């Protein structure tokens, strides 16, 4: 799914997490287990209850998908 040209960082990260989860068949529970990030932290961020995400948390999420942060950010969409 292509991302809009102008997008907030929160929106871009949320879209990337949702796209990767769908592509890889990850539930938020599975992503939580794979990344070590509490499920509540992931779901709060995805639903907008929390709009800030620590770089350390983002690295863990990327690693949970089996990729580096560079790969997570460098999406060809």
């Amino acid at each position: 799914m292509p991302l809009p040209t102008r997008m907030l960082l929160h929106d871009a990260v949320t879209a990337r997490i949702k796209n990767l989860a769908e592509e890889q068949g990850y539930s938020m529970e599975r992503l939580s287990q794979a990344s070590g990030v509490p499920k509540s932290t992931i779901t709060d961020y995805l639903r907008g209850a929390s709009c800030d995400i620590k770089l350390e948390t983002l690295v863990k999420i990327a690693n949970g998908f089996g990729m580096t942060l560079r790969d997570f950010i460098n999406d060809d969409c």
Side-chain angles (χ1 to χ4, degrees), residues 20-56:
L20 286 169
E22 184 178 323
E23 287 173 12
Q24 296 187 20
Y26 275 37
S27 65
M28 292 306 108
E29 180 69 32
R30 182 173 175 195
L31 178 57
S32 172
Q33 291 172 350
S35 66
V37 176
K39 181 181 171 188
S40 60
T41 300
I42 297 169
T43 55
D44 284 352
Y45 187 74
L46 292 179
R47 64 184 175 87
S50 170
C51 292
D52 295 326
I53 191 165
K54 293 180 182 178
L55 183 58
E56 176 184 348

Side-chain angles (χ1 to χ4, degrees), residues 51-72:
C51 292
D52 295 326
I53 191 165
K54 293 180 182 178
L55 183 58
E56 176 184 348
T57 302
L58 198 52
V59 168
K60 288 179 180 181
I61 289 172
N63 291 338
F65 283 120
M67 58 179 47
T68 64
L69 181 60
R70 178 183 292 241
D71 291 334
F72 181 89

